[in-house]
PDB file of all heavy atoms in Angstrom:
ATOM      1  N   ASP A  29      75.248  97.019 104.283  1.00  0.00           N
ATOM      2  CA  ASP A  29      73.951  97.101 104.944  1.00  0.00           C
ATOM      3  C   ASP A  29      74.116  96.956 106.465  1.00  0.00           C
ATOM      4  O   ASP A  29      74.628  95.935 106.930  1.00  0.00           O
ATOM      5  CB  ASP A  29      73.029  96.001 104.407  1.00  0.00           C
ATOM      6  CG  ASP A  29      71.622  96.107 104.921  1.00  0.00           C
ATOM      7  OD1 ASP A  29      71.394  95.759 106.098  1.00  0.00           O
ATOM      8  OD2 ASP A  29      70.741  96.548 104.159  1.00  0.00           O
ATOM      9  N   PRO A  30      73.697  97.934 107.258  1.00  0.00           N
ATOM     10  CA  PRO A  30      73.917  97.876 108.710  1.00  0.00           C
ATOM     11  C   PRO A  30      73.310  96.643 109.371  1.00  0.00           C
ATOM     12  O   PRO A  30      73.920  96.058 110.270  1.00  0.00           O
ATOM     13  CB  PRO A  30      73.264  99.162 109.217  1.00  0.00           C
ATOM     14  CG  PRO A  30      73.291 100.092 108.055  1.00  0.00           C
ATOM     15  CD  PRO A  30      73.110  99.219 106.847  1.00  0.00           C
ATOM     16  N   GLU A  31      72.110  96.228 108.962  1.00  0.00           N
ATOM     17  CA  GLU A  31      71.476  95.061 109.578  1.00  0.00           C
ATOM     18  C   GLU A  31      72.203  93.773 109.225  1.00  0.00           C
ATOM     19  O   GLU A  31      72.315  92.859 110.057  1.00  0.00           O
ATOM     20  CB  GLU A  31      70.006  94.990 109.166  1.00  0.00           C
ATOM     21  CG  GLU A  31      69.156  96.107 109.746  1.00  0.00           C
ATOM     22  CD  GLU A  31      67.701  95.935 109.390  1.00  0.00           C
ATOM     23  OE1 GLU A  31      67.071  94.980 109.895  1.00  0.00           O
ATOM     24  OE2 GLU A  31      67.189  96.744 108.592  1.00  0.00           O
ATOM     25  N   LEU A  32      72.711  93.686 108.009  1.00  0.00           N
ATOM     26  CA  LEU A  32      73.491  92.508 107.632  1.00  0.00           C
ATOM     27  C   LEU A  32      74.809  92.474 108.391  1.00  0.00           C
ATOM     28  O   LEU A  32      75.241  91.412 108.860  1.00  0.00           O
ATOM     29  CB  LEU A  32      73.756  92.513 106.126  1.00  0.00           C
ATOM     30  CG  LEU A  32      72.538  92.252 105.236  1.00  0.00           C
ATOM     31  CD1 LEU A  32      72.837  92.622 103.795  1.00  0.00           C
ATOM     32  CD2 LEU A  32      72.103  90.792 105.332  1.00  0.00           C
ATOM     33  N   LEU A  33      75.446  93.628 108.530  1.00  0.00           N
ATOM     34  CA  LEU A  33      76.696  93.683 109.291  1.00  0.00           C
ATOM     35  C   LEU A  33      76.470  93.247 110.725  1.00  0.00           C
ATOM     36  O   LEU A  33      77.286  92.515 111.303  1.00  0.00           O
ATOM     37  CB  LEU A  33      77.270  95.098 109.251  1.00  0.00           C
ATOM     38  CG  LEU A  33      77.717  95.629 107.879  1.00  0.00           C
ATOM     39  CD1 LEU A  33      78.168  97.071 108.002  1.00  0.00           C
ATOM     40  CD2 LEU A  33      78.830  94.770 107.299  1.00  0.00           C
ATOM     41  N   GLU A  34      75.356  93.663 111.304  1.00  0.00           N
ATOM     42  CA  GLU A  34      75.047  93.262 112.674  1.00  0.00           C
ATOM     43  C   GLU A  34      74.785  91.768 112.760  1.00  0.00           C
ATOM     44  O   GLU A  34      75.251  91.089 113.689  1.00  0.00           O
ATOM     45  CB  GLU A  34      73.832  94.043 113.179  1.00  0.00           C
ATOM     46  CG  GLU A  34      73.472  93.714 114.629  1.00  0.00           C
ATOM     47  CD  GLU A  34      72.291  94.519 115.134  1.00  0.00           C
ATOM     48  OE1 GLU A  34      71.775  95.374 114.388  1.00  0.00           O
ATOM     49  OE2 GLU A  34      71.876  94.276 116.285  1.00  0.00           O
ATOM     50  N   ALA A  35      74.040  91.224 111.792  1.00  0.00           N
ATOM     51  CA  ALA A  35      73.706  89.797 111.818  1.00  0.00           C
ATOM     52  C   ALA A  35      74.957  88.925 111.745  1.00  0.00           C
ATOM     53  O   ALA A  35      75.033  87.878 112.399  1.00  0.00           O
ATOM     54  CB  ALA A  35      72.762  89.460 110.662  1.00  0.00           C
ATOM     55  N   PHE A  36      75.946  89.362 110.969  1.00  0.00           N
ATOM     56  CA  PHE A  36      77.156  88.565 110.793  1.00  0.00           C
ATOM     57  C   PHE A  36      78.310  89.046 111.668  1.00  0.00           C
ATOM     58  O   PHE A  36      79.418  88.499 111.582  1.00  0.00           O
ATOM     59  CB  PHE A  36      77.567  88.559 109.326  1.00  0.00           C
ATOM     60  CG  PHE A  36      76.647  87.745 108.451  1.00  0.00           C
ATOM     61  CD1 PHE A  36      75.640  88.355 107.725  1.00  0.00           C
ATOM     62  CD2 PHE A  36      76.770  86.371 108.376  1.00  0.00           C
ATOM     63  CE1 PHE A  36      74.790  87.613 106.925  1.00  0.00           C
ATOM     64  CE2 PHE A  36      75.930  85.612 107.585  1.00  0.00           C
ATOM     65  CZ  PHE A  36      74.925  86.241 106.859  1.00  0.00           C
ATOM     66  N   GLY A  37      78.070  90.056 112.482  1.00  0.00           N
ATOM     67  CA  GLY A  37      79.075  90.489 113.453  1.00  0.00           C
ATOM     68  C   GLY A  37      80.287  91.159 112.860  1.00  0.00           C
ATOM     69  O   GLY A  37      81.399  91.042 113.389  1.00  0.00           O
ATOM     70  N   VAL A  38      80.096  91.906 111.770  1.00  0.00           N
ATOM     71  CA  VAL A  38      81.216  92.552 111.086  1.00  0.00           C
ATOM     72  C   VAL A  38      81.081  94.064 111.192  1.00  0.00           C
ATOM     73  O   VAL A  38      80.005  94.624 110.951  1.00  0.00           O
ATOM     74  CB  VAL A  38      81.261  92.141 109.599  1.00  0.00           C
ATOM     75  CG1 VAL A  38      82.422  92.836 108.889  1.00  0.00           C
ATOM     76  CG2 VAL A  38      81.392  90.627 109.461  1.00  0.00           C
ATOM     77  N   SER A  39      82.175  94.741 111.535  1.00  0.00           N
ATOM     78  CA  SER A  39      82.185  96.200 111.586  1.00  0.00           C
ATOM     79  C   SER A  39      82.514  96.767 110.209  1.00  0.00           C
ATOM     80  O   SER A  39      83.432  96.289 109.527  1.00  0.00           O
ATOM     81  CB  SER A  39      83.233  96.684 112.590  1.00  0.00           C
ATOM     82  OG  SER A  39      83.406  98.085 112.491  1.00  0.00           O
ATOM     83  N   GLN A  40      81.768  97.788 109.786  1.00  0.00           N
ATOM     84  CA  GLN A  40      82.004  98.375 108.474  1.00  0.00           C
ATOM     85  C   GLN A  40      83.402  98.957 108.357  1.00  0.00           C
ATOM     86  O   GLN A  40      83.989  98.983 107.267  1.00  0.00           O
ATOM     87  CB  GLN A  40      80.960  99.457 108.179  1.00  0.00           C
ATOM     88  CG  GLN A  40      81.082 100.050 106.780  1.00  0.00           C
ATOM     89  CD  GLN A  40      79.920 100.950 106.421  1.00  0.00           C
ATOM     90  OE1 GLN A  40      78.812 100.787 106.925  1.00  0.00           O
ATOM     91  NE2 GLN A  40      80.169 101.909 105.540  1.00  0.00           N
ATOM     92  N   SER A  41      83.976  99.399 109.477  1.00  0.00           N
ATOM     93  CA  SER A  41      85.305 100.010 109.440  1.00  0.00           C
ATOM     94  C   SER A  41      86.382  99.025 108.985  1.00  0.00           C
ATOM     95  O   SER A  41      87.448  99.440 108.509  1.00  0.00           O
ATOM     96  CB  SER A  41      85.666 100.573 110.817  1.00  0.00           C
ATOM     97  OG  SER A  41      85.729  99.524 111.787  1.00  0.00           O
ATOM     98  N   ALA A  42      86.111  97.717 109.118  1.00  0.00           N
ATOM     99  CA  ALA A  42      87.088  96.708 108.688  1.00  0.00           C
ATOM    100  C   ALA A  42      86.987  96.405 107.199  1.00  0.00           C
ATOM    101  O   ALA A  42      87.903  95.808 106.622  1.00  0.00           O
ATOM    102  CB  ALA A  42      86.889  95.412 109.476  1.00  0.00           C
ATOM    103  N   LEU A  43      85.885  96.820 106.584  1.00  0.00           N
ATOM    104  CA  LEU A  43      85.599  96.454 105.202  1.00  0.00           C
ATOM    105  C   LEU A  43      86.087  97.513 104.222  1.00  0.00           C
ATOM    106  O   LEU A  43      86.220  98.690 104.565  1.00  0.00           O
ATOM    107  CB  LEU A  43      84.096  96.245 105.019  1.00  0.00           C
ATOM    108  CG  LEU A  43      83.481  95.074 105.788  1.00  0.00           C
ATOM    109  CD1 LEU A  43      81.970  95.101 105.666  1.00  0.00           C
ATOM    110  CD2 LEU A  43      84.043  93.743 105.292  1.00  0.00           C
ATOM    111  N   PRO A  44      86.312  97.116 102.981  1.00  0.00           N
ATOM    112  CA  PRO A  44      86.784  98.072 101.982  1.00  0.00           C
ATOM    113  C   PRO A  44      85.675  98.996 101.482  1.00  0.00           C
ATOM    114  O   PRO A  44      84.485  98.707 101.633  1.00  0.00           O
ATOM    115  CB  PRO A  44      87.287  97.174 100.842  1.00  0.00           C
ATOM    116  CG  PRO A  44      86.530  95.901 101.009  1.00  0.00           C
ATOM    117  CD  PRO A  44      86.283  95.731 102.473  1.00  0.00           C
ATOM    118  N   LYS A  45      86.072 100.092 100.877  1.00  0.00           N
ATOM    119  CA  LYS A  45      85.146 100.990 100.195  1.00  0.00           C
ATOM    120  C   LYS A  45      84.669 100.321  98.909  1.00  0.00           C
ATOM    121  O   LYS A  45      85.458  99.709  98.182  1.00  0.00           O
ATOM    122  CB  LYS A  45      85.848 102.308  99.875  1.00  0.00           C
ATOM    123  CG  LYS A  45      85.008 103.285  99.067  1.00  0.00           C
ATOM    124  CD  LYS A  45      85.830 104.519  98.675  1.00  0.00           C
ATOM    125  CE  LYS A  45      85.024 105.449  97.778  1.00  0.00           C
ATOM    126  NZ  LYS A  45      85.828 106.624  97.348  1.00  0.00           N
ATOM    127  N   ILE A  46      83.372 100.425  98.623  1.00  0.00           N
ATOM    128  CA  ILE A  46      82.805  99.828  97.409  1.00  0.00           C
ATOM    129  C   ILE A  46      82.913 100.828  96.259  1.00  0.00           C
ATOM    130  O   ILE A  46      82.479 101.982  96.384  1.00  0.00           O
ATOM    131  CB  ILE A  46      81.340  99.414  97.620  1.00  0.00           C
ATOM    132  CG1 ILE A  46      81.232  98.394  98.763  1.00  0.00           C
ATOM    133  CG2 ILE A  46      80.758  98.828  96.333  1.00  0.00           C
ATOM    134  CD1 ILE A  46      79.803  98.041  99.140  1.00  0.00           C
ATOM    135  N   VAL A  47      83.485 100.376  95.120  1.00  0.00           N
ATOM    136  CA  VAL A  47      83.632 101.230  93.939  1.00  0.00           C
ATOM    137  C   VAL A  47      82.957 100.571  92.744  1.00  0.00           C
ATOM    138  O   VAL A  47      82.594  99.391  92.774  1.00  0.00           O
ATOM    139  CB  VAL A  47      85.121 101.500  93.630  1.00  0.00           C
ATOM    140  CG1 VAL A  47      85.800 102.197  94.802  1.00  0.00           C
ATOM    141  CG2 VAL A  47      85.861 100.205  93.279  1.00  0.00           C
ATOM    142  N   SER A  48      82.780 101.333  91.672  1.00  0.00           N
ATOM    143  CA  SER A  48      82.207 100.818  90.430  1.00  0.00           C
ATOM    144  C   SER A  48      83.193  99.877  89.751  1.00  0.00           C
ATOM    145  O   SER A  48      84.307  99.659  90.232  1.00  0.00           O
ATOM    146  CB  SER A  48      81.842 101.974  89.506  1.00  0.00           C
ATOM    147  OG  SER A  48      80.877 102.820  90.089  1.00  0.00           O
ATOM    148  N   ASN A  49      82.797  99.351  88.588  1.00  0.00           N
ATOM    149  CA  ASN A  49      83.650  98.367  87.922  1.00  0.00           C
ATOM    150  C   ASN A  49      84.712  98.976  87.032  1.00  0.00           C
ATOM    151  O   ASN A  49      85.643  98.283  86.632  1.00  0.00           O
ATOM    152  CB  ASN A  49      82.801  97.370  87.137  1.00  0.00           C
ATOM    153  CG  ASN A  49      82.040  96.445  88.054  1.00  0.00           C
ATOM    154  OD1 ASN A  49      80.830  96.561  88.206  1.00  0.00           O
ATOM    155  ND2 ASN A  49      82.742  95.541  88.705  1.00  0.00           N
ATOM    156  N   TRP A  50      84.585 100.229  86.685  1.00  0.00           N
ATOM    157  CA  TRP A  50      85.670 100.887  85.981  1.00  0.00           C
ATOM    158  C   TRP A  50      85.734 102.359  86.365  1.00  0.00           C
ATOM    159  O   TRP A  50      84.761 102.966  86.749  1.00  0.00           O
ATOM    160  CB  TRP A  50      85.611 100.696  84.473  1.00  0.00           C
ATOM    161  CG  TRP A  50      84.456 101.301  83.728  1.00  0.00           C
ATOM    162  CD1 TRP A  50      84.377 102.570  83.218  1.00  0.00           C
ATOM    163  CD2 TRP A  50      83.237 100.647  83.350  1.00  0.00           C
ATOM    164  NE1 TRP A  50      83.192 102.744  82.555  1.00  0.00           N
ATOM    165  CE2 TRP A  50      82.471 101.581  82.612  1.00  0.00           C
ATOM    166  CE3 TRP A  50      82.724  99.362  83.543  1.00  0.00           C
ATOM    167  CZ2 TRP A  50      81.214 101.279  82.088  1.00  0.00           C
ATOM    168  CZ3 TRP A  50      81.467  99.066  83.017  1.00  0.00           C
ATOM    169  CH2 TRP A  50      80.741  99.998  82.308  1.00  0.00           C
ATOM    170  N   GLY A  51      86.949 102.884  86.315  1.00  0.00           N
ATOM    171  CA  GLY A  51      87.247 104.242  86.748  1.00  0.00           C
ATOM    172  C   GLY A  51      88.688 104.254  87.220  1.00  0.00           C
ATOM    173  O   GLY A  51      89.372 103.231  87.191  1.00  0.00           O
ATOM    174  N   ASN A  52      89.178 105.388  87.673  1.00  0.00           N
ATOM    175  CA  ASN A  52      90.549 105.470  88.185  1.00  0.00           C
ATOM    176  C   ASN A  52      90.505 105.318  89.700  1.00  0.00           C
ATOM    177  O   ASN A  52      90.109 106.236  90.413  1.00  0.00           O
ATOM    178  CB  ASN A  52      91.203 106.794  87.794  1.00  0.00           C
ATOM    179  CG  ASN A  52      92.711 106.758  88.016  1.00  0.00           C
ATOM    180  OD1 ASN A  52      93.203 106.056  88.889  1.00  0.00           O
ATOM    181  ND2 ASN A  52      93.443 107.505  87.212  1.00  0.00           N
ATOM    182  N   PHE A  53      90.919 104.162  90.195  1.00  0.00           N
ATOM    183  CA  PHE A  53      90.777 103.838  91.619  1.00  0.00           C
ATOM    184  C   PHE A  53      92.029 104.151  92.441  1.00  0.00           C
ATOM    185  O   PHE A  53      91.998 104.078  93.666  1.00  0.00           O
ATOM    186  CB  PHE A  53      90.437 102.358  91.782  1.00  0.00           C
ATOM    187  CG  PHE A  53      89.238 101.918  90.996  1.00  0.00           C
ATOM    188  CD1 PHE A  53      89.300 100.800  90.185  1.00  0.00           C
ATOM    189  CD2 PHE A  53      88.048 102.629  91.052  1.00  0.00           C
ATOM    190  CE1 PHE A  53      88.194 100.381  89.454  1.00  0.00           C
ATOM    191  CE2 PHE A  53      86.942 102.224  90.319  1.00  0.00           C
ATOM    192  CZ  PHE A  53      87.015 101.099  89.510  1.00  0.00           C
ATOM    193  N   GLY A  54      93.122 104.460  91.782  1.00  0.00           N
ATOM    194  CA  GLY A  54      94.398 104.662  92.462  1.00  0.00           C
ATOM    195  C   GLY A  54      95.493 103.990  91.666  1.00  0.00           C
ATOM    196  O   GLY A  54      95.254 103.442  90.584  1.00  0.00           O
ATOM    197  N   SER A  55      96.715 104.010  92.178  1.00  0.00           N
ATOM    198  CA  SER A  55      97.859 103.518  91.409  1.00  0.00           C
ATOM    199  C   SER A  55      98.651 102.460  92.154  1.00  0.00           C
ATOM    200  O   SER A  55      98.598 102.363  93.382  1.00  0.00           O
ATOM    201  CB  SER A  55      98.799 104.681  91.061  1.00  0.00           C
ATOM    202  OG  SER A  55      98.174 105.586  90.179  1.00  0.00           O
ATOM    203  N   SER A  56      99.388 101.696  91.387  1.00  0.00           N
ATOM    204  CA  SER A  56     100.312 100.725  91.967  1.00  0.00           C
ATOM    205  C   SER A  56     101.494 101.461  92.585  1.00  0.00           C
ATOM    206  O   SER A  56     101.865 102.557  92.155  1.00  0.00           O
ATOM    207  CB  SER A  56     100.796  99.748  90.890  1.00  0.00           C
ATOM    208  OG  SER A  56     101.513 100.424  89.872  1.00  0.00           O
ATOM    209  N   ASN A  57     102.068 100.845  93.589  1.00  0.00           N
ATOM    210  CA  ASN A  57     103.253 101.381  94.255  1.00  0.00           C
ATOM    211  C   ASN A  57     104.472 100.671  93.670  1.00  0.00           C
ATOM    212  O   ASN A  57     104.590  99.446  93.784  1.00  0.00           O
ATOM    213  CB  ASN A  57     103.160 101.137  95.763  1.00  0.00           C
ATOM    214  CG  ASN A  57     104.310 101.721  96.539  1.00  0.00           C
ATOM    215  OD1 ASN A  57     105.457 101.625  96.123  1.00  0.00           O
ATOM    216  ND2 ASN A  57     104.003 102.331  97.685  1.00  0.00           N
ATOM    217  N   PRO A  58     105.392 101.405  93.037  1.00  0.00           N
ATOM    218  CA  PRO A  58     106.512 100.741  92.359  1.00  0.00           C
ATOM    219  C   PRO A  58     107.403  99.933  93.302  1.00  0.00           C
ATOM    220  O   PRO A  58     108.022  98.956  92.881  1.00  0.00           O
ATOM    221  CB  PRO A  58     107.281 101.908  91.720  1.00  0.00           C
ATOM    222  CG  PRO A  58     106.870 103.126  92.485  1.00  0.00           C
ATOM    223  CD  PRO A  58     105.450 102.868  92.896  1.00  0.00           C
ATOM    224  N   GLU A  59     107.458 100.315  94.574  1.00  0.00           N
ATOM    225  CA  GLU A  59     108.279  99.554  95.516  1.00  0.00           C
ATOM    226  C   GLU A  59     107.656  98.196  95.841  1.00  0.00           C
ATOM    227  O   GLU A  59     108.367  97.278  96.269  1.00  0.00           O
ATOM    228  CB  GLU A  59     108.462 100.348  96.809  1.00  0.00           C
ATOM    229  CG  GLU A  59     109.271 101.622  96.626  1.00  0.00           C
ATOM    230  CD  GLU A  59     109.484 102.346  97.941  1.00  0.00           C
ATOM    231  OE1 GLU A  59     109.175 101.755  99.007  1.00  0.00           O
ATOM    232  OE2 GLU A  59     109.951 103.493  97.912  1.00  0.00           O
ATOM    233  N   HIS A  60     106.366  98.078  95.634  1.00  0.00           N
ATOM    234  CA  HIS A  60     105.659  96.832  95.948  1.00  0.00           C
ATOM    235  C   HIS A  60     105.299  96.029  94.696  1.00  0.00           C
ATOM    236  O   HIS A  60     105.091  94.815  94.786  1.00  0.00           O
ATOM    237  CB  HIS A  60     104.381  97.135  96.737  1.00  0.00           C
ATOM    238  CG  HIS A  60     104.633  97.615  98.130  1.00  0.00           C
ATOM    239  ND1 HIS A  60     104.478  96.802  99.239  1.00  0.00           N
ATOM    240  CD2 HIS A  60     105.049  98.817  98.610  1.00  0.00           C
ATOM    241  CE1 HIS A  60     104.776  97.481 100.332  1.00  0.00           C
ATOM    242  NE2 HIS A  60     105.120  98.711  99.980  1.00  0.00           N
ATOM    243  N   PHE A  61     105.193  96.716  93.547  1.00  0.00           N
ATOM    244  CA  PHE A  61     104.677  96.037  92.358  1.00  0.00           C
ATOM    245  C   PHE A  61     105.602  96.240  91.159  1.00  0.00           C
ATOM    246  O   PHE A  61     105.374  97.085  90.291  1.00  0.00           O
ATOM    247  CB  PHE A  61     103.264  96.532  92.033  1.00  0.00           C
ATOM    248  CG  PHE A  61     102.588  95.745  90.933  1.00  0.00           C
ATOM    249  CD1 PHE A  61     102.300  94.390  91.097  1.00  0.00           C
ATOM    250  CD2 PHE A  61     102.243  96.352  89.739  1.00  0.00           C
ATOM    251  CE1 PHE A  61     101.689  93.663  90.088  1.00  0.00           C
ATOM    252  CE2 PHE A  61     101.618  95.624  88.728  1.00  0.00           C
ATOM    253  CZ  PHE A  61     101.347  94.281  88.899  1.00  0.00           C
ATOM    254  N   LEU A  62     106.694  95.501  91.163  1.00  0.00           N
ATOM    255  CA  LEU A  62     107.544  95.318  89.993  1.00  0.00           C
ATOM    256  C   LEU A  62     108.086  96.621  89.418  1.00  0.00           C
ATOM    257  O   LEU A  62     108.350  96.732  88.218  1.00  0.00           O
ATOM    258  CB  LEU A  62     106.759  94.558  88.894  1.00  0.00           C
ATOM    259  CG  LEU A  62     106.141  93.227  89.322  1.00  0.00           C
ATOM    260  CD1 LEU A  62     105.308  92.640  88.190  1.00  0.00           C
ATOM    261  CD2 LEU A  62     107.220  92.245  89.758  1.00  0.00           C
TER     262      LEU A  62
END
C-alpha cells in the first residue's frame, strides 16, 4: 500500500514480490542448497 509505505518510510523496491500460498515460485540453487 503506497500510503502505508510512506507512513513507515519504506520503498517498495526494497520489498519482495507478493505471491499466493501455493504455486511454482521458482527453484532451489544446488550450489546454495545441498
Side-chain angles (χ1 to χ4, degrees):
D29 186 285
E31 292 184 68
L32 290 166
L33 295 176
E34 182 178 357
F36 289 98
V38 179
S39 170
Q40 184 171 333
S41 63
L43 295 172
K45 176 185 176 182
I46 301 174
V47 300
S48 299
N49 289 107
W50 65 88
N52 194 331
F53 306 130
S55 294
S56 62
N57 183 318
E59 294 183 10
H60 290 257
F61 188 63
L62 306 175

